[in-house]
């Protein structure tokens, strides 16, 4: 069954997880004070959770701890107006599980930017969804 | 004056506006019910506002009307771990200004996806910021 919603194909769970697992950079949506913010991070999908590194004293770490946040990954091409996006929503927590920390080390997860980012944050997706642009009628 | 914050150069206002004006696809961060969401849209910067098309009855349109939302644009390269991001935060409104609607038509702004997206939404940036990854010591 292919569900098309306003020119967007609703992706099934396997495809959503495959795209989420294959991404390099995603965007975290959260609140600082009462204002919304979006910050790009490079990440890995480890044990079903989105994991990335931040600074111990960063606004991001403080804002994320225990909060429900959004995490988005997408890709698109202007040449053929193609694209897809995946949205994961769930609680963010500073990682204290040493096995997960070792898995992150082993995965080669490193921030693109220099600077101290010695905290790992994980987002446990409670809601997962994804959409892909389809042009013309579906087969 | 070059401000470096944890490996990220804080961009000046001119650079932020130049990057925002040059983008094609950005991500809108908003709330549906009490849950955060991030959705990619293709957009134009018109008269200082971020403008994009949505469907009249879409959840996006309903959620955005009058809300304070985040809008993020970024670009990055895994090859040299370079990248930048720009964040605009401000109120979103359905466009009723015919001059702005005509400017959007003239700009060639069209959604990548098929389907009816006959509403224009504008985000008026109240807060604008941007950062760029810098490796090594700044000159």
């Amino acid at each position: 069954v292919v569900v098309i919603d306003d020119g967007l194909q609703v992706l099934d769970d396997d495809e959503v997880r495959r795209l989420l697992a294959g991404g390099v950079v995603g965007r975290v949506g959260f609140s600082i004070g009462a204002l919304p913010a979006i910050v790009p991070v490079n990440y890995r999908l480890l044990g079903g959770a989105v994991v990335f590194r931040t600074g111990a004293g960063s606004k991001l770490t403080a804002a994320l701890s225990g909060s429900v946040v959004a995490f988005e990954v997408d890709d698109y091409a202007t040449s053929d107006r193609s694209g897809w996006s995946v949205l994961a929503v769930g609680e963010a927590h500073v990682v204290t599980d040493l096995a997960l920390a070792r898995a992150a080390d082993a995965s080669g997860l490193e921030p693109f930017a220099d600077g101290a980012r010695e905290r790992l944050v994980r987002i446990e997706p409670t809601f997962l969804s994804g959409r892909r642009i389809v042009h013309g009628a579906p087969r």
Side-chain angles (χ1 to χ4, degrees), chain A:
Chain A
V1 179
V2 178
V3 179
I4 307 289
D5 176 15
D6 216 15
L8 299 172
Q9 178 187 351
V10 178
L11 301 177
D12 65 32
D13 195 60
D14 285 351
E15 177 78 347
V16 166
R17 287 178 193 277
R18 190 184 65 76
L19 291 168
L20 191 59
V24 174
V25 171
R27 291 102 196 158
V28 184
F30 62 109
S31 295
I32 303 182
L35 289 176
I38 300 176
V39 170
V41 296
N42 54 316
Y43 77 100
R44 292 285 193 285
L45 191 69
L46 298 170
V50 170
V51 178
F52 59 92
R53 295 193 193 277
T54 69
S58 72
K59 286 181 190 171
L60 185 59
T61 303
L64 292 184
S65 298
S67 299
V68 174
V69 304
F71 184 80
E72 189 258 9
V73 186
D74 63 45
D75 196 19
Y76 61 90
T78 54
S79 54
D80 61 358
R81 306 176 78 79
S82 66
W84 57 264
S85 70
V86 163
L87 177 64
V89 178
E91 281 188 19
H93 292 280
V94 173
V95 170
T96 53
D97 173 0
L98 291 181
L100 182 55
R102 277 192 293 264
D105 288 346
S107 77
L109 174 64
E110 283 301 329
F112 282 10
D114 303 336
R117 287 181 174 75
E118 68 271 39
R119 287 292 181 278
L120 277 175
V121 174
R122 73 175 203 279
I123 301 171
E124 300 285 346
T126 302
F127 304 100
L128 263 180
S129 60
R131 291 174 182 224
R132 183 189 300 278
I133 295 171
V134 285
H135 292 294
R139 286 191 294 175

